[in-house]
Amino acid sequence: MLARQRLPGDRVLLAEYRGNRVTERNRKGEIVWEKSLTLPLMAQRLPNGNTMIATAERVVELTKKDKEAFSYAPPGGTRIMRARRLPGGDVLLALEDTTTNATRLTRVSRFGK
């Protein structure tokens, strides 16, 4: 699975699920930025230049200097299936209950509530 987002300047942001990393690549395919993490589901470059990344266990927002600006882990027994930062700063998550396989949408404020 490969999730991508086109970026300005002929670049692309890739969540490389099996590669266990998120990369930003130029038009030649060369890596200009990389973050290693286990099985990333998605990556989203935000208007402020930060990068939001989701795995099954948590969502993290990284600054341009790779510092955590935001982190959220869903309660035990659930896993993240999809995530997206909304224009107001909240995060919309598709969560799966691992015991019942039920899926629900959850909106998390930019403060993690």
Side-chain angles (χ1 to χ4, degrees), residues 20-113:
N20 291 316
R21 65 185 179 175
V22 173
T23 60
E24 180 181 336
R25 295 175 183 259
N26 62 21
R27 68 184 332 199
K28 295 178 184 177
E30 301 165 332
I31 297 172
V32 296
W33 178 84
E34 180 176 356
K35 180 68 176 176
S36 296
L37 57 149
T38 305
L39 303 174
L41 300 170
M42 62 72 64
Q44 179 184 6
R45 183 64 46 84
L46 304 174
N48 65 4
N50 290 355
T51 303
M52 188 177 84
I53 302 169
T55 67
E57 290 81 31
R58 74 183 192 127
V59 175
V60 63
E61 180 182 333
L62 301 173
T63 66
K64 294 176 189 177
K65 296 183 179 182
D66 283 340
K67 303 281 185 201
E68 280 193 21
F70 172 84
S71 180
Y72 174 80
T78 58
R79 69 181 189 100
I80 298 169
M81 296 175 64
R82 291 277 184 228
R84 178 64 53 192
R85 172 77 68 175
L86 300 174
D90 293 352
V91 178
L92 185 63
L93 301 171
L95 299 175
E96 179 184 43
D97 184 313
T98 56
T99 57
T100 64
N101 292 332
T103 304
R104 71 174 190 275
L105 289 177
T106 301
R107 188 174 186 152
V108 178
S109 77
R110 62 179 180 251
F111 307 109
K113 305 216 182 247

